[in-house]
């Protein structure tokens, strides 16, 4: 027993010192990491800049009208259209002296007139060249370019509006994105379309 103890005893102090050294190194490393984390949290505004407060969905929605208008425009320059029973936004407009009903369609790229509305405005369709093709759910249709000298919806007036006359029958004329992009902004909220200009 004593011989075996004498052979193994000298190695134990080295083992204990090695384990203690490893433990001390771990404590030092984790202390440094914790200290850096605490410093980063304490001085986060200095290191990363001030953080914007989180807004609720209602606060963001309430701010959208102000963001979509130009700051120089008065708040009264807005037009509200209520959705029809079918959920569409229908607008009565005066186009070059003719009363035209439009549907605002964010899925349409252009302003498109029915052949009947184009004739009511005074365009001679026989003299028009149907040079453009549109891919629709009903197939490819042709359209002729026209310019609306004045389009008025209430107090909103746009001049020289590029549009297209549909060659095939269409159930209503469309105000697409080319119209909406000429405004300061628009939004759909609670079944209402609001146009800003």
């Amino acid at each position: 027993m004593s011989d075996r103890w004498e052979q193994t005893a000298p190695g134990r102090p080295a083992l204990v010192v090695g384990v203690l050294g490893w433990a001390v190194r771990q404590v030092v490393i984790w202390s440094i990491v914790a200290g850096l984390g605490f410093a980063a949290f304490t001085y986060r505004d200095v290191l990363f800049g001030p953080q914007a407060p989180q807004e609720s969905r209602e606060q963001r929605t309430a701010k959208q009208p102000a963001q979509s208008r130009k700051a120089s425009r008065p708040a009264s320059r807005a037009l509200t259209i209520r959705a029809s029973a079918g959920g569409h936004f229908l607008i009565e407009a005066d186009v070059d002296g003719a009363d035209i009903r439009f549907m605002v369609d964010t899925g349409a790229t252009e302003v498109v007139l029915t052949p009947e509305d184009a004739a009511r405005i005074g365009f001679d369709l026989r003299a028009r060249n149907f040079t453009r093709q549109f891919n629709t759910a009903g197939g490819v249709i042709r359209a002729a370019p026209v310019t609306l000298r004045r389009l008025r919806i209430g107090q909103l007036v746009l001049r020289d509006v590029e549009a297209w006359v549909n060659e095939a029958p269409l159930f209503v004329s469309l105000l697409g994105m080319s119209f909406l992009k000429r405004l300061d902004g628009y939004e759909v909220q609670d079944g209402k379309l609001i146009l800003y200009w």
Side-chain angles (χ1 to χ4, degrees), residues 32-49 51:
I32 292 171
V33 170
L36 290 174
F38 179 79
F41 178 80
T42 303
Y43 299 102
R44 63 188 178 279
D45 290 344
V46 176
L47 296 171
F48 307 109
Q51 299 296 312

PDB file of all heavy atoms in Angstrom, residues 32-49 51:
ATOM      1  N   ILE A  32     -14.670  38.747 -18.068  1.00  0.00           N
ATOM      2  CA  ILE A  32     -14.402  39.722 -19.132  1.00  0.00           C
ATOM      3  C   ILE A  32     -15.594  39.808 -20.090  1.00  0.00           C
ATOM      4  O   ILE A  32     -16.047  40.890 -20.471  1.00  0.00           O
ATOM      5  CB  ILE A  32     -13.110  39.361 -19.885  1.00  0.00           C
ATOM      6  CG1 ILE A  32     -11.895  39.541 -18.967  1.00  0.00           C
ATOM      7  CG2 ILE A  32     -12.967  40.203 -21.147  1.00  0.00           C
ATOM      8  CD1 ILE A  32     -10.598  39.017 -19.537  1.00  0.00           C
ATOM      9  N   VAL A  33     -16.125  38.639 -20.484  1.00  0.00           N
ATOM     10  CA  VAL A  33     -17.287  38.621 -21.388  1.00  0.00           C
ATOM     11  C   VAL A  33     -18.465  39.338 -20.746  1.00  0.00           C
ATOM     12  O   VAL A  33     -19.145  40.147 -21.381  1.00  0.00           O
ATOM     13  CB  VAL A  33     -17.658  37.163 -21.756  1.00  0.00           C
ATOM     14  CG1 VAL A  33     -19.001  37.110 -22.476  1.00  0.00           C
ATOM     15  CG2 VAL A  33     -16.573  36.534 -22.620  1.00  0.00           C
ATOM     16  N   ALA A  34     -18.746  39.037 -19.474  1.00  0.00           N
ATOM     17  CA  ALA A  34     -19.859  39.682 -18.777  1.00  0.00           C
ATOM     18  C   ALA A  34     -19.641  41.187 -18.676  1.00  0.00           C
ATOM     19  O   ALA A  34     -20.566  41.981 -18.863  1.00  0.00           O
ATOM     20  CB  ALA A  34     -20.031  39.070 -17.391  1.00  0.00           C
ATOM     21  N   GLY A  35     -18.399  41.593 -18.403  1.00  0.00           N
ATOM     22  CA  GLY A  35     -18.093  43.017 -18.306  1.00  0.00           C
ATOM     23  C   GLY A  35     -18.306  43.736 -19.629  1.00  0.00           C
ATOM     24  O   GLY A  35     -18.869  44.832 -19.677  1.00  0.00           O
ATOM     25  N   LEU A  36     -17.862  43.108 -20.736  1.00  0.00           N
ATOM     26  CA  LEU A  36     -18.064  43.707 -22.054  1.00  0.00           C
ATOM     27  C   LEU A  36     -19.546  43.811 -22.391  1.00  0.00           C
ATOM     28  O   LEU A  36     -20.007  44.813 -22.954  1.00  0.00           O
ATOM     29  CB  LEU A  36     -17.329  42.890 -23.122  1.00  0.00           C
ATOM     30  CG  LEU A  36     -15.802  42.960 -23.081  1.00  0.00           C
ATOM     31  CD1 LEU A  36     -15.193  41.993 -24.095  1.00  0.00           C
ATOM     32  CD2 LEU A  36     -15.331  44.390 -23.365  1.00  0.00           C
ATOM     33  N   GLY A  37     -20.303  42.765 -22.063  1.00  0.00           N
ATOM     34  CA  GLY A  37     -21.747  42.796 -22.320  1.00  0.00           C
ATOM     35  C   GLY A  37     -22.435  43.895 -21.534  1.00  0.00           C
ATOM     36  O   GLY A  37     -23.284  44.616 -22.061  1.00  0.00           O
ATOM     37  N   PHE A  38     -22.067  44.052 -20.268  1.00  0.00           N
ATOM     38  CA  PHE A  38     -22.659  45.096 -19.434  1.00  0.00           C
ATOM     39  C   PHE A  38     -22.300  46.481 -19.967  1.00  0.00           C
ATOM     40  O   PHE A  38     -23.144  47.385 -20.034  1.00  0.00           O
ATOM     41  CB  PHE A  38     -22.173  44.940 -17.987  1.00  0.00           C
ATOM     42  CG  PHE A  38     -22.709  45.997 -17.070  1.00  0.00           C
ATOM     43  CD1 PHE A  38     -24.007  45.898 -16.585  1.00  0.00           C
ATOM     44  CD2 PHE A  38     -21.937  47.080 -16.693  1.00  0.00           C
ATOM     45  CE1 PHE A  38     -24.524  46.872 -15.745  1.00  0.00           C
ATOM     46  CE2 PHE A  38     -22.449  48.053 -15.851  1.00  0.00           C
ATOM     47  CZ  PHE A  38     -23.742  47.950 -15.371  1.00  0.00           C
ATOM     48  N   ALA A  39     -21.047  46.656 -20.394  1.00  0.00           N
ATOM     49  CA  ALA A  39     -20.617  47.951 -20.931  1.00  0.00           C
ATOM     50  C   ALA A  39     -21.351  48.271 -22.236  1.00  0.00           C
ATOM     51  O   ALA A  39     -21.781  49.399 -22.468  1.00  0.00           O
ATOM     52  CB  ALA A  39     -19.103  47.949 -21.155  1.00  0.00           C
ATOM     53  N   ALA A  40     -21.504  47.259 -23.086  1.00  0.00           N
ATOM     54  CA  ALA A  40     -22.207  47.477 -24.352  1.00  0.00           C
ATOM     55  C   ALA A  40     -23.656  47.864 -24.111  1.00  0.00           C
ATOM     56  O   ALA A  40     -24.210  48.733 -24.782  1.00  0.00           O
ATOM     57  CB  ALA A  40     -22.137  46.221 -25.218  1.00  0.00           C
ATOM     58  N   PHE A  41     -24.305  47.213 -23.121  1.00  0.00           N
ATOM     59  CA  PHE A  41     -25.701  47.538 -22.807  1.00  0.00           C
ATOM     60  C   PHE A  41     -25.811  48.938 -22.211  1.00  0.00           C
ATOM     61  O   PHE A  41     -26.703  49.715 -22.551  1.00  0.00           O
ATOM     62  CB  PHE A  41     -26.278  46.506 -21.836  1.00  0.00           C
ATOM     63  CG  PHE A  41     -27.688  46.796 -21.429  1.00  0.00           C
ATOM     64  CD1 PHE A  41     -28.743  46.473 -22.270  1.00  0.00           C
ATOM     65  CD2 PHE A  41     -27.971  47.417 -20.216  1.00  0.00           C
ATOM     66  CE1 PHE A  41     -30.046  46.750 -21.903  1.00  0.00           C
ATOM     67  CE2 PHE A  41     -29.271  47.696 -19.849  1.00  0.00           C
ATOM     68  CZ  PHE A  41     -30.307  47.367 -20.687  1.00  0.00           C
ATOM     69  N   THR A  42     -24.872  49.282 -21.320  1.00  0.00           N
ATOM     70  CA  THR A  42     -24.916  50.578 -20.645  1.00  0.00           C
ATOM     71  C   THR A  42     -24.694  51.725 -21.628  1.00  0.00           C
ATOM     72  O   THR A  42     -25.360  52.758 -21.561  1.00  0.00           O
ATOM     73  CB  THR A  42     -23.859  50.633 -19.532  1.00  0.00           C
ATOM     74  OG1 THR A  42     -24.097  49.547 -18.626  1.00  0.00           O
ATOM     75  CG2 THR A  42     -23.926  51.943 -18.774  1.00  0.00           C
ATOM     76  N   TYR A  43     -23.764  51.533 -22.565  1.00  0.00           N
ATOM     77  CA  TYR A  43     -23.411  52.601 -23.504  1.00  0.00           C
ATOM     78  C   TYR A  43     -23.942  52.316 -24.913  1.00  0.00           C
ATOM     79  O   TYR A  43     -23.340  52.714 -25.901  1.00  0.00           O
ATOM     80  CB  TYR A  43     -21.888  52.793 -23.524  1.00  0.00           C
ATOM     81  CG  TYR A  43     -21.336  53.194 -22.190  1.00  0.00           C
ATOM     82  CD1 TYR A  43     -20.690  52.266 -21.377  1.00  0.00           C
ATOM     83  CD2 TYR A  43     -21.490  54.489 -21.716  1.00  0.00           C
ATOM     84  CE1 TYR A  43     -20.189  52.629 -20.138  1.00  0.00           C
ATOM     85  CE2 TYR A  43     -20.987  54.857 -20.477  1.00  0.00           C
ATOM     86  CZ  TYR A  43     -20.342  53.929 -19.691  1.00  0.00           C
ATOM     87  OH  TYR A  43     -19.855  54.295 -18.479  1.00  0.00           O
ATOM     88  N   ARG A  44     -25.103  51.637 -25.001  1.00  0.00           N
ATOM     89  CA  ARG A  44     -25.631  51.249 -26.319  1.00  0.00           C
ATOM     90  C   ARG A  44     -25.981  52.457 -27.179  1.00  0.00           C
ATOM     91  O   ARG A  44     -25.835  52.421 -28.399  1.00  0.00           O
ATOM     92  CB  ARG A  44     -26.842  50.344 -26.159  1.00  0.00           C
ATOM     93  CG  ARG A  44     -28.030  50.971 -25.470  1.00  0.00           C
ATOM     94  CD  ARG A  44     -29.117  49.924 -25.180  1.00  0.00           C
ATOM     95  NE  ARG A  44     -30.252  50.482 -24.488  1.00  0.00           N
ATOM     96  CZ  ARG A  44     -30.322  50.718 -23.194  1.00  0.00           C
ATOM     97  NH1 ARG A  44     -29.250  50.438 -22.442  1.00  0.00           N
ATOM     98  NH2 ARG A  44     -31.409  51.221 -22.645  1.00  0.00           N
ATOM     99  N   ASP A  45     -26.458  53.559 -26.555  1.00  0.00           N
ATOM    100  CA  ASP A  45     -26.788  54.753 -27.326  1.00  0.00           C
ATOM    101  C   ASP A  45     -25.556  55.378 -27.949  1.00  0.00           C
ATOM    102  O   ASP A  45     -25.592  55.902 -29.057  1.00  0.00           O
ATOM    103  CB  ASP A  45     -27.502  55.780 -26.456  1.00  0.00           C
ATOM    104  CG  ASP A  45     -28.915  55.335 -26.085  1.00  0.00           C
ATOM    105  OD1 ASP A  45     -29.439  54.405 -26.744  1.00  0.00           O
ATOM    106  OD2 ASP A  45     -29.476  55.923 -25.162  1.00  0.00           O
ATOM    107  N   VAL A  46     -24.447  55.330 -27.218  1.00  0.00           N
ATOM    108  CA  VAL A  46     -23.194  55.884 -27.742  1.00  0.00           C
ATOM    109  C   VAL A  46     -22.640  55.010 -28.857  1.00  0.00           C
ATOM    110  O   VAL A  46     -22.192  55.485 -29.886  1.00  0.00           O
ATOM    111  CB  VAL A  46     -22.158  56.038 -26.612  1.00  0.00           C
ATOM    112  CG1 VAL A  46     -20.827  56.508 -27.158  1.00  0.00           C
ATOM    113  CG2 VAL A  46     -22.680  56.994 -25.547  1.00  0.00           C
ATOM    114  N   LEU A  47     -22.696  53.686 -28.624  1.00  0.00           N
ATOM    115  CA  LEU A  47     -22.109  52.750 -29.593  1.00  0.00           C
ATOM    116  C   LEU A  47     -22.961  52.571 -30.843  1.00  0.00           C
ATOM    117  O   LEU A  47     -22.453  52.533 -31.959  1.00  0.00           O
ATOM    118  CB  LEU A  47     -21.892  51.383 -28.926  1.00  0.00           C
ATOM    119  CG  LEU A  47     -20.878  51.352 -27.773  1.00  0.00           C
ATOM    120  CD1 LEU A  47     -20.932  50.007 -27.080  1.00  0.00           C
ATOM    121  CD2 LEU A  47     -19.478  51.633 -28.310  1.00  0.00           C
ATOM    122  N   PHE A  48     -24.284  52.464 -30.657  1.00  0.00           N
ATOM    123  CA  PHE A  48     -25.148  52.105 -31.783  1.00  0.00           C
ATOM    124  C   PHE A  48     -26.129  53.190 -32.175  1.00  0.00           C
ATOM    125  O   PHE A  48     -26.888  53.032 -33.123  1.00  0.00           O
ATOM    126  CB  PHE A  48     -25.944  50.829 -31.448  1.00  0.00           C
ATOM    127  CG  PHE A  48     -25.078  49.694 -31.013  1.00  0.00           C
ATOM    128  CD1 PHE A  48     -25.075  49.286 -29.690  1.00  0.00           C
ATOM    129  CD2 PHE A  48     -24.254  49.038 -31.909  1.00  0.00           C
ATOM    130  CE1 PHE A  48     -24.279  48.236 -29.270  1.00  0.00           C
ATOM    131  CE2 PHE A  48     -23.454  47.989 -31.501  1.00  0.00           C
ATOM    132  CZ  PHE A  48     -23.456  47.588 -30.172  1.00  0.00           C
ATOM    133  N   GLY A  49     -26.141  54.324 -31.474  1.00  0.00           N
ATOM    134  CA  GLY A  49     -27.103  55.372 -31.762  1.00  0.00           C
ATOM    135  C   GLY A  49     -28.392  55.120 -30.999  1.00  0.00           C
ATOM    136  O   GLY A  49     -28.687  54.008 -30.608  1.00  0.00           O
ATOM    137  N   GLN A  51     -32.126  54.276 -30.071  1.00  0.00           N
ATOM    138  CA  GLN A  51     -33.087  53.363 -30.673  1.00  0.00           C
ATOM    139  C   GLN A  51     -34.439  54.046 -30.767  1.00  0.00           C
ATOM    140  O   GLN A  51     -34.883  54.698 -29.828  1.00  0.00           O
ATOM    141  CB  GLN A  51     -33.215  52.086 -29.822  1.00  0.00           C
ATOM    142  CG  GLN A  51     -31.910  51.336 -29.708  1.00  0.00           C
ATOM    143  CD  GLN A  51     -31.422  50.823 -31.053  1.00  0.00           C
ATOM    144  OE1 GLN A  51     -32.178  50.226 -31.795  1.00  0.00           O
ATOM    145  NE2 GLN A  51     -30.181  51.083 -31.367  1.00  0.00           N
TER     146      GLN A  51
END
